């Protein structure tokens, strides 16, 4: 373990890696912010569209560069401008197909992706025959080279990230309003302007990240942190914070792993590694997330069903006078794993299992069972009061007795003026502390 | 005779191959469009790499073959692995949607970006070079062999048969999934068979004609046809017709430009671009027509 940490420390301080590391972190954070906005809109695939439709733009930029015979510095600028232009066109077409022609978002996305990819392929084949060297340069632009990042790029990313955070902080109220209720936002004059601003910001962030991260990282980072964050928190600002954390974490771990795994033999591509780490985070969140993660949900369901079973058992024990034979218990619980259930319930200290295969109610169990029975009968009284038939209320009360809380119980008692008998003329057990307090 | 002399033999093969794929894609793509599942094609185009990476690793571990001998051999295994990967992709997307209640776009994006990046990482790890792109594994319509035609024809026959036999069921499934459980006996089986056939033809398409034309042929023609079609049959007819016309046109255009200007255009790029321009043209025309009708 210690050599591993030593390696991490060396890597964090190594000047050759710090540049690409910070570049990756900054780019990932900005991308995940953009991703949050689009995942709220349920168009998480927009990153994919932009990444693909930048392809013909890059090559068009290269053609313009060839025609006007510009220097290599200006050529890079031209490539970026071209990429932004076609990406903008494709996003425009996307919204046009969706709003004007009522095509499904799925079909519109696919058309944008495939048509611009096709045009890119066509233009690339021309460029390949005209100028093979430039073609190779453009391809580097497309797949990304994290290793070639310079201090200049890191500064650029930092500036973009700061501007983006300013944008988000200044307009967070409007963005929220616009994303959740377009009609309502329309009344305040929020609409086209904000939409345009978001599109511009997105394009700038994405195309600038494209140079050093590549298409893969882009599409991945725009979706995964946002999805992961939504499984933990509900508020939109918290989603932004958490996705920042996920983005930065996966950038750090991913760029470290990409160097660490290969050792001296080879360097794994950084972009895919970061995406994989981020996807692993997302998978973890989907399973264990506080808000409806799969395992968490299953755990809660099991707990609830255990609670219901236990309450049913206690109730029938109480009605039978405190002791039941095992075969009687079997009828109440109706479960395959009867022994397991009994062992679990015994651990809760409400029952004990005596000799002669008898289940006996304990002191604490009596109090608990009285509460359940009380809730059951109170609910029956309430339903009769509301107008239900007397013979039908029992089944409803059987279900609701497991979910009634103390607060609801108090309200019911107040509303029904503390009844003493249920509709079937059975006594309602009194609450412990209220036993001698007059109403 | 003169018609035959219009193209060389290679170009006739190219044309036939393109036609067989484009017709089956317009048949399958129409139903994908109606079910709003076209994005599956894009997802598969990314995840296939993952399956291929696993295949390479398996081959290397079990039989010690290297990466490059694998490329020339084992086309059957290649296709099998890609189909399995495609089905796994569809399965994962559905699982994420149904069990974890993710939106369909988020689940698609999550699955394909994860599997794609895993595929790239695995390939880099086992070939120890980062220059292996998707383009080596994927085919190109400009580099074909006469044997490729067999699989293309097989897919064409299979998809035509399937669509014509189960046309009614497919229509019902794509418009009203709940009702399909009452009207036909086994809607799930038809749906599964449809998805299997789709992934078969998509993956074969990637191998023999390339990614860009497959994505273009499966997504653009149904939308173009939907501008004028009034029912599902017309939708299929129009997209088949536009596919046939544009396939011929693109091959002729590429040939003409190569002969006149000496620039070797990529046929697949031309194909998709022509489809796209046809769509744009018709959108514009139809939009103007609607505008005029509204004014009257």
């Amino acid at each position: 373990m210690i050599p591993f940490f030593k390696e991490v420390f060396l890597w964090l301080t190594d000047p050759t890696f710090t540049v690409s590391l910070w570049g990756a972190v900054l780019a990932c954070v900005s991308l995940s912010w953009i991703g949050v906005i689009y995942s709220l809109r349920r168009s998480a695939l927009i990153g994919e569209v932009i990444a693909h439709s930048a392809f013909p733009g890059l090559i068009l930029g290269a053609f313009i560069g060839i025609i006007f015979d510009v220097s290599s510095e200006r050529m890079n600028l031209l490539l970026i401008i071209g990429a932004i232009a076609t990406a903008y066109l494709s996003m425009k077409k996307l919204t046009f197909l969706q709003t004007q022609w009522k095509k499904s978002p799925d079909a519109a996305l696919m058309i944008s992706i495939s048509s611009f990819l096709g045009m890119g392929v066509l233009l690339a084949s021309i460029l390949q025959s005209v100028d093979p060297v430039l073609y190779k340069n453009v391809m580097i632009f497309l797949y990304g080279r994290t290793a070639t990042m310079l201090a200049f790029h890191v500064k650029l990313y930092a500036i973009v990230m700061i501007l983006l955070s300013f944008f988000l902080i200044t307009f967070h109220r409007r963005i929220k309003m616009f994303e959740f209720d377009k009609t309502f936002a329309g009344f305040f004059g929020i609409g086209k302007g904000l939409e345009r601003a978001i599109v511009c910001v997105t394009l700038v962030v994405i195309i600038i990240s494209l140079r050093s991260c590549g298409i893969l990282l882009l599409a991945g980072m725009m979706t995964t942190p946002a999805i992961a964050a939504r499984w933990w928190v509900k508020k939109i600002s918290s989603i932004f914070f958490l996705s920042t954390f996920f983005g930065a974490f996966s950038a750090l771990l991913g760029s470290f792993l990409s160097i660490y795994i290969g050792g001296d033999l080879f360097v794994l591509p950084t972009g895919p590694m970061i995406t994989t780490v981020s996807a692993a985070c997302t998978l973890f969140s989907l399973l264990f997330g506080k808000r409806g993660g799969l395992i968490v949900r299953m755990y809660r369901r099991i707990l609830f069903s255990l609670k219901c079973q236990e309450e049913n058992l206690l109730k029938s024990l109480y009605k039978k006078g405190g002791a039941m034979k095992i075969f009687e218990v079997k009828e109440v619980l109706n479960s395959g794993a009867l022994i397991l259930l009994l062992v679990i319930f015994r651990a809760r200290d409400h029952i004990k299992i005596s000799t002669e295969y008898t289940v006996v109610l304990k002191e604490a169990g009596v109090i608990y069972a009285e509460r359940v029975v009380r809730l059951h009968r109170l609910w029956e009284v309430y339903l009769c009061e509301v107008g239900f038939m007397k013979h039908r209320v029992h089944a409803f009360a059987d279900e609701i007795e497991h979910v009634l809380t103390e607060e609801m119980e108090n309200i019911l008692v107040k509303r029904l003026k503390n009844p003493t008998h249920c509709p079937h003329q059975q006594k309602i057990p009194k609450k412990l502390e209220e036993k001698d307090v007059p109403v | 005779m003169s018609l035959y002399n219009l193209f060389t033999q290679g170009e006739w093969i190219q044309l036939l191959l393109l036609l067989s794929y484009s017709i089956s894609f317009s048949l399958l793509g129409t139903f994908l469009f109606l079910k709003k599942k076209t994005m599956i094609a894009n997802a598969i185009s990314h995840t296939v790499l993952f399956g291929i990476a696993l295949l390479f690793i398996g081959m290397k571990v079990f039989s010690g073959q290297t990466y490059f001998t694998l490329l020339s051999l084992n086309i059957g295994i290649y296709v099998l692995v890609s189909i399995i990967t495609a089905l796994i992709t569809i399965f994962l997307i559905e699982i994420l949607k149904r069990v974890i209640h993710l939106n369909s776009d988020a689940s698609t994006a999550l699955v394909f970006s994860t599997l794609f990046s895993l595929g790239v990482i695995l390939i880099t790890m086992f070939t120890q070079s980062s220059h292996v792109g998707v383009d080596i594994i994927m085919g190109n319509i400009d580099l074909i062999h006469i044997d490729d035609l067999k699989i293309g024809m097989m897919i064409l026959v299979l998809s035509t048969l399937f669509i014509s036999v189960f046309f009614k069921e497919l229509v019902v499934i794509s418009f009203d999934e709940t009702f399909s459980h009452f009207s036909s006996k086994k809607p799930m089986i038809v749906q599964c068979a449809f998805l299997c056939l789709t992934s078969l033809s998509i993956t074969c398409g990637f191998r023999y004609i390339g990614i860009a034309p497959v994505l273009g042929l499966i997504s653009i023609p149904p939308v173009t046809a939907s501008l004028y079609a009034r029912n599902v049959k017309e939708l299929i007819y129009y997209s088949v017709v536009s596919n046939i016309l544009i396939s011929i046109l693109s091959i002729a255009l590429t040939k003409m430009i190569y002969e006149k200007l000496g620039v070797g255009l990529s046929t697949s790029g031309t194909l998709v671009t022509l489809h796209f321009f046809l769509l744009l043209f018709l959108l514009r025309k139809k939009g103007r027509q609607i505008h005029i009708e509204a004014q009257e």
Side-chain angles (χ1 to χ4, degrees):
Chain A
M1 210 61 197
I2 290 165
F4 178 77
F5 283 118
K6 204 175 162 190
E7 189 121 0
V8 171
F9 180 73
L10 277 177
W11 169 74
L12 273 175
T13 48
D14 192 334
T16 49
F17 295 134
T18 40
V19 172
S20 63
L21 175 70
W22 287 114
V25 170
L26 291 174
C28 283
V29 170
S30 329
L31 282 176
S32 57
W33 284 347
I34 299 280
V36 171
I37 296 181
Y38 281 99
S39 82
L40 287 178
R41 274 185 209 183
R42 304 196 167 186
S43 49
L45 289 161
I46 202 88
E48 179 76 3
V49 173
I50 295 178
H52 281 88
S53 48
F55 183 36
L58 284 172
I59 297 170
L60 271 183
F63 277 127
I64 296 171
I66 292 174
I67 292 168
F68 291 105
D69 200 22
V70 294
S71 64
S72 66
E73 285 291 308
R74 285 202 181 155
M75 181 63 106
N76 278 347
L77 192 68
L78 264 179
L79 292 179
I80 287 184
I81 291 173
I84 289 182
T86 46
Y88 177 71
L89 278 181
S90 114
M91 278 176 84
K92 198 132 198 220
K93 168 124 164 306
L94 188 70
T95 44
F96 172 69
L97 275 175
Q98 274 187 46
T99 54
Q100 225 89 331
W101 289 95
K102 305 275 180 292
K103 298 294 168 207
S104 69
D106 174 81
L109 280 168
M110 256 317 261
I111 287 185
S112 285
I113 291 177
S114 63
S115 57
F116 279 83
L117 184 67
M119 281 194 274
V121 170
L122 178 63
L123 291 172
S125 66
I126 302 174
L127 184 64
Q128 203 172 6
S129 60
V130 174
D131 192 343
V133 183
L134 190 63
Y135 173 74
K136 271 191 178 164
N137 283 339
V138 171
M139 284 300 142
I140 287 174
F141 224 98
L142 201 61
Y143 289 118
R145 281 270 176 90
T146 323
T148 59
M149 225 184 270
L150 303 173
F152 162 72
H153 289 113
V154 178
K155 273 180 204 155
L156 191 67
Y157 285 152
I159 292 169
V160 166
M161 201 188 95
I162 290 167
L163 286 181
L164 182 61
S165 62
F166 270 131
F167 174 76
L168 289 175
I169 291 168
T170 330
F171 293 109
H172 78 279
R173 213 173 268 272
R174 295 182 188 192
I175 291 174
K176 236 188 267 182
M177 211 193 264
F178 182 66
E179 296 303 337
F180 288 106
D181 196 339
K182 286 216 162 75
T183 345
F184 181 62
F187 283 120
F188 293 88
I190 301 166
K192 276 197 170 163
L194 190 69
E195 172 71 34
R196 263 183 216 143
I198 290 177
V199 169
C200 288
V201 168
T202 312
L203 286 173
V204 169
V205 170
I206 286 183
I207 305 290
I208 285 178
S209 320
L210 198 64
R211 165 67 179 80
S212 39
C213 304
I215 283 179
L216 249 179
L217 181 64
L218 238 160
M221 286 316 286
M222 268 190 68
T223 49
T224 42
I227 298 171
R230 285 182 78 173
W231 251 252
W232 294 100
V233 287
K234 194 176 180 189
K235 264 179 69 181
I236 187 166
S237 51
S238 327
I239 291 181
F240 270 109
F241 280 117
L242 205 59
S243 63
T244 313
F245 166 73
F246 278 126
F249 173 74
S250 34
L252 279 172
L253 191 62
S255 14
F256 171 67
L257 285 181
S258 74
I259 295 161
Y260 183 73
I261 289 179
D264 299 331
L265 284 173
F266 54 92
V267 176
L268 286 176
T270 321
M273 204 66 226
I274 293 176
T275 315
T276 312
V277 172
S278 175
C281 288
T282 311
L283 194 64
F284 179 78
S285 312
L286 290 183
L287 291 181
F288 297 100
K290 213 170 66 188
R291 294 187 62 232
L294 189 63
I295 304 280
V296 175
R297 229 163 45 196
M298 271 162 65
Y299 175 70
R300 277 189 201 142
R301 201 177 294 161
I302 289 171
L303 271 194
F304 182 70
S305 94
L306 273 180
K307 191 185 159 212
C308 291
Q309 297 267 36
E310 190 189 7
E311 287 180 357
N312 285 341
L313 175 64
L314 292 178
K315 203 173 66 181
S316 21
L317 274 172
Y318 178 77
K319 282 180 185 166
K320 290 252 165 98
M324 267 163 103
K325 292 274 184 208
I326 284 278
F327 65 85
E328 288 174 316
V329 172
K330 202 169 182 178
E331 275 167 25
V332 177
L333 287 185
N334 195 17
S335 158
L338 186 71
I339 302 300
L340 182 71
L341 281 181
L342 282 179
V343 169
I344 294 172
F345 296 157
R346 202 178 63 171
R348 303 248 302 154
D349 218 28
H350 288 157
I351 56 167
K352 67 181 176 200
I353 299 167
S354 68
T355 46
E356 303 152 21
Y357 304 105
T358 320
V359 181
V360 181
L361 204 56
K362 272 179 153 183
E363 188 72 13
V366 174
I367 297 168
Y368 198 92
E370 272 186 348
R371 184 174 168 262
V372 177
V373 173
R374 179 180 155 79
L375 289 177
H376 179 102
R377 291 183 181 161
L378 271 177
W379 192 255
E380 284 181 345
V381 176
Y382 172 68
L383 283 184
C384 281
E385 182 108 350
V386 180
F388 271 84
M389 302 294 280
K390 207 166 141 190
H391 61 276
R392 284 183 60 199
V393 291
H394 180 77
F396 291 120
D398 252 351
E399 307 244 313
I400 204 98
E401 67 191 14
H402 306 294
V403 282
L404 279 180
T405 59
E406 186 145 0
E407 196 186 351
M408 285 154 94
E409 183 192 342
N410 290 337
I411 291 173
L412 275 180
V413 168
K414 213 180 257 175
R415 171 89 187 260
L416 303 169
K417 302 196 180 80
N418 206 4
T420 51
H421 287 82
C422 81
H424 310 100
Q425 304 312 323
Q426 276 167 316
K427 218 177 162 210
I428 297 178
K430 286 245 152 62
K431 218 173 174 182
L432 248 194
E433 58 266 35
E434 276 181 11
K435 266 192 175 154
D436 24 52
V437 181
V439 180
Chain B
M1 195 62 199
S2 61
L3 191 67
Y4 182 78
N5 284 342
L6 208 61
F7 292 137
T8 60
Q9 198 195 355
E11 280 158 356
W12 277 111
I13 295 170
Q14 204 180 11
L15 181 63
L16 281 178
L17 191 69
L18 201 54
L19 279 182
S20 64
Y21 276 108
S22 61
I23 292 170
S24 43
F25 281 145
S26 49
L27 290 174
L28 299 170
T30 307
F31 286 103
L32 282 179
F33 167 68
L34 289 176
K35 286 170 160 215
K36 298 176 182 158
K37 277 186 180 162
T38 331
M39 213 59 205
I40 280 179
N42 187 35
I44 292 175
S45 76
H46 289 82
T47 52
V48 157
L49 191 70
F50 177 68
I52 302 301
L54 285 187
L55 176 67
F56 285 158
I57 292 169
M59 281 294 181
K60 202 169 181 182
V61 170
F62 289 117
S63 63
Q65 277 170 314
T66 59
Y67 172 72
F68 289 100
T69 52
L70 274 170
L71 276 183
S72 50
L73 295 168
N74 294 320
I75 295 302
I77 295 179
Y78 167 88
V79 170
L80 190 69
V81 167
S82 347
I83 292 167
I84 293 171
T85 325
L87 289 177
I88 288 175
T89 312
I90 296 171
F91 179 70
L92 279 179
I93 293 174
E94 286 299 311
I95 282 274
L96 282 183
K97 260 200 294 201
R98 297 206 175 152
V99 180
I100 309 196
H101 307 304
L102 218 55
N103 295 335
S104 84
D105 64 308
S107 57
T108 314
L110 187 62
V111 168
F112 82 70
S113 57
T114 312
L115 289 188
F116 188 38
S117 42
L118 273 179
V120 172
I121 288 171
L122 287 180
I123 283 197
T124 322
M125 266 166 96
F126 282 84
T127 58
Q128 306 199 344
S129 89
S130 58
H131 298 287
V132 182
V134 196
D135 36 343
I136 296 181
I137 302 161
M138 295 309 167
N140 189 344
I141 187 73
D142 294 321
L143 309 166
I144 48 166
H145 191 255
I146 191 153
D147 292 343
D148 302 349
L149 204 55
K150 272 185 219 159
I151 294 179
M153 284 302 169
M154 194 188 76
I155 286 171
L156 174 63
V157 171
L158 263 180
S159 51
T160 320
L161 268 180
F162 182 79
I163 299 287
S164 48
V165 171
F166 293 106
F167 180 75
K168 220 177 190 174
E169 279 85 353
L170 282 170
V171 171
V172 173
I173 288 171
S174 25
F175 281 104
D176 195 339
E177 211 170 331
T178 334
F179 179 63
S180 70
H181 290 277
F182 297 102
S183 70
S184 72
K185 275 172 194 152
K186 298 268 167 18
M188 276 309 284
I189 292 179
V190 176
Q191 214 162 343
C192 284
F194 175 74
L195 287 178
C196 287
L197 188 59
T198 313
S199 33
L200 170 76
S201 46
I202 288 176
T203 45
C204 287
F206 289 152
R207 182 69 185 90
Y208 294 111
I209 66 174
I211 288 185
V214 170
L215 297 186
L217 287 175
I218 222 164
S219 66
I220 305 177
V223 179
T224 315
S226 76
L227 293 177
Y228 288 94
R230 281 162 299 182
N231 53 41
V232 182
K233 272 188 184 158
E234 281 187 12
L235 199 62
I236 292 179
Y237 291 146
Y238 289 156
S239 54
V240 167
V241 168
S242 74
N243 253 332
I244 291 175
L245 285 181
I246 287 189
S247 301
I248 297 171
L249 192 64
S250 68
I251 288 181
L253 199 68
T254 331
K255 182 184 161 72
M256 205 178 79
I257 288 177
Y258 183 69
E259 280 170 358
K260 293 272 158 61
L261 303 174
V263 181
L265 289 183
S266 134
T267 315
S268 49
T270 323
L271 182 76
V272 180
T273 314
L274 283 177
H275 265 299
F276 179 52
F277 283 144
L278 178 70
L279 175 65
L280 280 188
F281 173 70
L282 290 182
L283 276 178
R284 208 179 157 79
K285 201 176 160 195
K286 183 91 182 178
R288 208 174 275 164
Q289 200 179 326
I290 290 171
H291 188 68
I292 290 168
E293 276 170 15
Q295 273 184 344
E296 282 169 357

